Amino acid sequence: MTTLNDRLTAELTRLRESGLHISPRVLEAPQRPLTRVAGREVVNLASNNYLGFADHPFLKERAERYLREWGAGAGAVRTIAGTLSIHEDFERQLAEFKHTGSALVLQSGFTTNQGVLGSLLQEGDLVVSDELNHASIIDGLRLAKATKKIYRHKDVEDLDRILRENPTDGLKLVVTDGVFSMDGDVAPLDRIIEVARRHGAVTYVDDAHGSGVLGEAGRGTVHHFGFEHADDVIQIGTLSKAWGVVGGYAAGTHDLRDLLINRARPFLFSTGHPPAVVGALSAALELVVKEPEIMERLWENTRYFKAELARLGFDTMGSETPITPVVFGEAGAAFEASRRLLDRGVFAVGIGFPTVPRGLARIRNIVTAAHTRDMLDRALSAYEHVGREVGVVAG
Ligand SMILES: *Cc1c(COP(=O)(O)O)cnc(C)c1O
């Protein structure tokens, strides 16, 4: 017999021995570009808070108003009595923003992948997924009865071959992240959609790291490539990263939304967002359009930070987006560099195998629109010192 204690001890020991055990760092102040970690003020390069919205007064004010006027919670799952008019108003606002016919909001990006992939795909369907797709896509596909194939990262020829070699009368779905979360590279959607169309396949883009970052006013990677009105493209994404709050969405045709309402299990069996979340999100979509300089600052900061890191001799893996990996080689070196950066007042997290390949352990940095030049310079100066100390740059 295995007791609970046996199980917990064995698993935790296994995690510690393989170097995979984690305990989250705690922020002792709000999610801001300058915050507190381990008792000290730090420049924060670890968040997904691209636009600085997590703590933005415009969002907080709307959240407060919705809380006051609509209450603390939704009170039921969306399909029973938990759909408030503010939920549907926001979904219309989001569909208009995305230039899609419709949009449905779920609790998170994670549950959106579970809900959409789990309810759309049936036996006899074929789904072809990029090898570096996010864990929530992988889990969503576990719920799908379709035949599953993996294509090499961004390799359109490999995708084409798999589609050719696996004919089916069922639905064909090509699944990709819009922006890949570890390398910061962008999926070649123009070529992916072209190949998918040649095989009569639908393209499914998880735009968690592209929403609020790419395309006009942050409309996303699909907009960036000019495919926003296409009925054979499904866009899903998160409201938890650039939009600064929490949630996920699926944007596509009216019928897609209708099917998800009826079939997506997280929508059917788990309560929707509280009013304050809906309020903050509606303010976020307004703000990004009203103040285009916010996105401009994100990109200005991104360009500056990347150029300065390169000048100091760091390898940022040719990332094309605000996600800026700095390569340290082995996991131990990346974790050590992260500790040293923290000692110098910079909060940036090391990532090693199995999240990224061996030898490409890195620190993943995300600058935001809210960072000032002075904060970035402080971070760069710490990087310069630490890079020399651990020997990844000369000097
Ligand atoms: C972060 C992320 C998600 C999960 O989004 P949450 O809203 O945090 O659940 C899903 N897909 C991708 C590609 C992501 O990067």
Side-chain angles (χ1 to χ4, degrees), residues 329-340:
E330 290 316 312
F335 297 146
E336 177 59 23
S338 171
R339 273 191 295 275
R340 287 175 184 240

Side-chain angles (χ1 to χ4, degrees), residues 48 50 106-113 132-137 176-182 205-210 236-241 245-249 323 364:
N48 298 313
Y50 291 99
L106 290 95
Q107 297 86 358
S108 71
F110 195 99
T111 60
T112 302
N113 273 322
L132 292 191
N133 278 343
H134 189 259
S136 58
I137 291 178
T176 181
D177 283 11
V179 173
F180 290 87
S181 56
M182 289 302 143
V205 182
D206 178 344
D207 214 20
H209 286 279
I236 81 107
T238 177
L239 302 163
S240 330
K241 289 177 176 143
V245 194
V246 73
Y249 63 84
I323 297 172
R364 189 182 68 155

Side-chain angles (χ1 to χ4, degrees), residues 43-318:
V43 177
N44 178 5
L45 296 175
S47 80
N48 298 313
N49 184 25
Y50 291 99
L51 299 173
F53 281 1
D55 187 53
H56 197 290
F58 191 69
L59 275 73
K60 291 197 286 188
E61 195 192 310
R62 186 80 57 89
E64 271 174 23
R65 175 154 74 77
Y66 274 45
L67 170 70
R68 236 179 7 254
E69 292 176 2
W70 286 90
V77 299
R78 289 277 309 265
T79 44
I80 296 188
T83 296
L84 309 175
S85 61
I86 50 173
H87 287 120
E88 293 204 328
D89 289 345
F90 176 67
E91 285 166 344
R92 272 189 293 272
Q93 184 189 356
L94 182 60
E96 232 166 77
F97 176 80
K98 298 288 291 180
H99 297 169
T100 55
S102 247
L104 188 73
V105 171
L106 290 95
Q107 297 86 358
S108 71
F110 195 99
T111 60
T112 302
N113 273 322
Q114 303 240 312
V116 184
L117 295 168
S119 62
L120 188 62
L121 292 165
Q122 300 176 359
E123 212 167 317
D125 292 346
L126 172 70
V127 54
V128 196
S129 178
D130 187 291
E131 65 180 333
L132 292 191
N133 278 343
H134 189 259
S136 58
I137 291 178
I138 295 166
D139 281 18
L141 290 177
R142 284 195 183 131
L143 299 173
K145 293 182 189 76
T147 303
K148 298 150 202 168
K149 302 282 174 191
I150 307 292
Y151 66 97
R152 284 196 300 269
H153 181 47
K154 294 198 301 189
D155 187 335
V156 179
E157 269 94 64
D158 199 36
L159 170 64
D160 187 39
R161 177 190 62 78
I162 293 171
L163 285 165
R164 204 171 48 240
E165 288 175 1
N166 294 276
T168 172
D169 292 334
L171 183 72
K172 295 173 214 160
L173 193 71
V174 175
V175 181
T176 181
D177 283 11
V179 173
F180 290 87
S181 56
M182 289 302 143
D183 294 5
D185 52 338
V186 180
L189 281 190
D190 47 349
R191 288 155 56 225
I192 289 173
I193 291 173
E194 192 247 317
V195 166
R197 283 187 175 158
R198 201 148 20 84
H199 293 276
V202 171
T203 306
Y204 178 103
V205 182
D206 178 344
D207 214 20
H209 286 279
S211 307
V213 175
L214 287 176
E216 183 218 354
R219 286 180 170 81
T221 313
V222 171
H223 183 282
H224 174 75
F225 282 100
F227 289 101
E228 67 229 348
H229 295 289
D231 283 355
D232 59 351
V233 177
I234 297 172
Q235 300 184 56
I236 81 107
T238 177
L239 302 163
S240 330
K241 289 177 176 143
W243 306 121
V245 194
V246 73
Y249 63 84
T253 62
H254 174 78
D255 280 353
L256 174 72
R257 180 174 186 273
D258 201 15
L259 182 78
L260 294 175
I261 289 173
N262 284 277
R263 286 274 169 76
R265 293 171 72 81
F267 190 83
L268 285 158
F269 298 112
S270 181
T271 300
H273 286 156
V277 166
V278 184
L281 287 170
S282 79
L285 285 194
E286 253 176 65
L287 188 60
V288 78
V289 173
K290 206 169 68 163
E291 293 185 14
E293 56 275 19
I294 297 175
M295 247 186 85
E296 281 160 27
R297 259 200 318 276
L298 168 67
W299 280 97
E300 233 170 71
N301 283 344
T302 296
R303 281 189 292 270
Y304 177 73
F305 192 65
K306 274 189 210 300
E308 289 300 299
L309 283 170
R311 195 179 59 77
L312 293 171
F314 288 101
D315 173 8
T316 58
M317 299 185 69

